[in-house]
Amino acid sequence: MQKTVHSIAELRARIAAWKQAGERVAFVPTMGNLHRGHLHLVERARELAPRTVASIFVNPMQFGANEDYAGYPRTLEDDSRQLEAIGLDLLFAPKLTEIYPRPLADMTQVTVPELSAVLCGVSRPVHFSGVTTIVAKLFNMAQPDVAVFGEKDWQQLVIIRRMVADLDFPVEIVGVPTVREPDGLALSSRNGYLSAEERAMAPALYATLRATAGRLRTGERDYAALEAEAKTRLEAAGFRPDYFEIRCSDSLRQPTSADVDLRIFAAAWLGRARLIDNLAVVLD
Ligand code: PAF
């Protein structure tokens, strides 16, 4: 049966007992308000190790001053029931002061430069330092053998892989493909911010990624023109685009015409929801 713990000491005690018994531990960090995409991460974690741990913590350090930290949906009871139903072993749901005992500005931070400064990092300059700081702390607390992250946040996944490599964390990072609604919309907690009318418009984001991927596959290489056209298409569909960029999938650098392992990244506002999505394009 799933157990919920709120302190680092309880978390460590439970995990230490499993490790002493020789059991591997897979970890899924989340901010809660779980949807099928999160549950899919936990299901993948269960395939990777006999013991699974998830965390639910809405991390203030990764929200900018004018972002949705205060209003971010907190649904711990419902989340906990869903996790129990799919066989999670341990849920870590710490209070704010357990994680940040001092004012945020006084806490040590972990930053992955360069990769954190592009794409979402341009309009959300503090976001990725907040993510890497909390993930580093959670890794130190839980000491998992493997940790699972969704590919919808591809930039986050690349940044966490780099942090793990640079800081020698003994943890394997596994990415899990994006779970989508039947009309293509990527599952996200922020989809809950959409009105019925906006929800009907939202699939245009993925449709635009797919259209651009099709153009790349037929040989077009004027990336700037493709990006500009995609933004116009998103505006016509009712979005306020933040960015639409074609990049190299793992380095996130701008591609030359010789690069083949590409990924298209988009972030766009629809009402009060900022939606992000990405699509891999591997050229022959
Ligand atoms: O992807 C998320 O939900 C968050 O960024 C994470 C990794 C749980 C860190 O707070």
Side-chain angles (χ1 to χ4, degrees):
M1 204 183 92
Q2 174 191 301
K3 169 99 182 116
T4 301
V5 293
H6 303 282
S7 74
I8 300 166
E10 290 170 288
L11 174 75
R12 285 201 166 130
R14 295 242 157 206
I15 292 177
W18 293 333
K19 292 214 160 180
Q20 259 161 22
E23 292 181 309
R24 274 167 59 83
V25 173
F27 179 51
V28 184
T30 80
M31 297 207 300
N33 193 233
L34 304 182
H35 49 66
R36 276 185 295 117
H38 294 111
L39 300 181
H40 193 53
L41 299 183
V42 175
E43 281 158 1
R44 182 76 185 100
R46 293 194 70 206
E47 293 168 0
L48 294 166
R51 293 294 182 180
T52 48
V53 181
S55 62
I56 293 182
F57 178 67
V58 184
N59 173 34
M61 200 185 273
Q62 70 189 73
F63 290 80
N66 299 316
E67 294 182 356
D68 54 344
Y69 173 66
Y72 198 86
R74 288 152 171 91
T75 51
L76 183 58
E77 267 186 36
D78 187 47
D79 293 344
S80 172
R81 262 195 302 275
Q82 295 194 65
L83 290 168
E84 171 137 35
I86 60 163
L88 183 83
D89 291 304
L90 182 62
L91 173 60
F92 179 46
K95 288 215 163 60
L96 186 62
T97 49
E98 183 73 3
I99 300 293
Y100 297 123
R102 281 180 294 289
L104 280 192
D106 297 346
M107 296 288 307
T108 301
Q109 294 206 12
V110 177
T111 299
V112 175
E114 198 190 0
L115 293 175
S116 300
V118 298
L119 300 171
C120 283
V122 174
S123 57
R124 306 189 71 194
V126 301
H127 174 64
F128 288 115
S129 291
V131 170
T132 40
T133 301
I134 188 64
V135 172
K137 282 168 72 63
L138 289 167
F139 283 177
N140 282 332
M141 292 169 196
Q143 306 206 349
D145 297 286
V146 53
V148 180
F149 294 86
E151 290 183 356
K152 184 179 82 68
D153 297 300
W154 182 267
Q155 185 178 9
Q156 169 173 282
L157 176 62
V158 167
I159 289 170
I160 289 169
R161 283 192 202 284
R162 175 69 65 84
M163 176 189 79
V164 162
D166 286 355
L167 297 184
D168 309 296
F169 278 100
V171 56
E172 180 194 351
I173 303 299
V174 172
V176 173
T178 303
V179 179
R180 298 183 181 279
E181 299 286 7
D183 60 12
L185 178 65
L187 297 195
S188 164
S189 298
R190 290 188 169 102
N191 293 351
Y193 296 161
L194 298 169
S195 67
E197 194 190 344
E198 289 158 358
R199 173 62 190 84
M201 295 151 74
L205 188 61
Y206 184 53
T208 308
L209 289 171
R210 287 182 55 140
T212 305
R215 303 271 294 275
L216 287 168
R217 286 196 191 95
T218 56
E220 288 191 47
R221 292 293 177 272
D222 186 344
Y223 302 128
L226 287 170
E227 290 165 356
E229 207 182 298
K231 279 195 206 163
T232 304
R233 177 177 167 154
L234 285 175
E235 278 161 0
F239 285 83
R240 271 182 302 126
D242 180 353
Y243 62 79
F244 190 101
E245 292 191 36
I246 301 161
R247 296 248 168 185
C248 293
S249 197
D250 291 331
S251 67
L252 304 186
R253 68 172 169 71
Q254 283 169 334
T256 66
S257 54
D259 286 304
V260 292
D261 193 2
L262 307 182
R263 195 167 279 263
I264 316 169
F265 296 87
W269 289 91
L270 195 51
R272 70 184 188 96
R274 182 178 178 278
L275 303 181
I276 64 170
D277 204 346
N278 67 85
L279 184 62
V281 187
V282 181
L283 301 172
D284 322 311

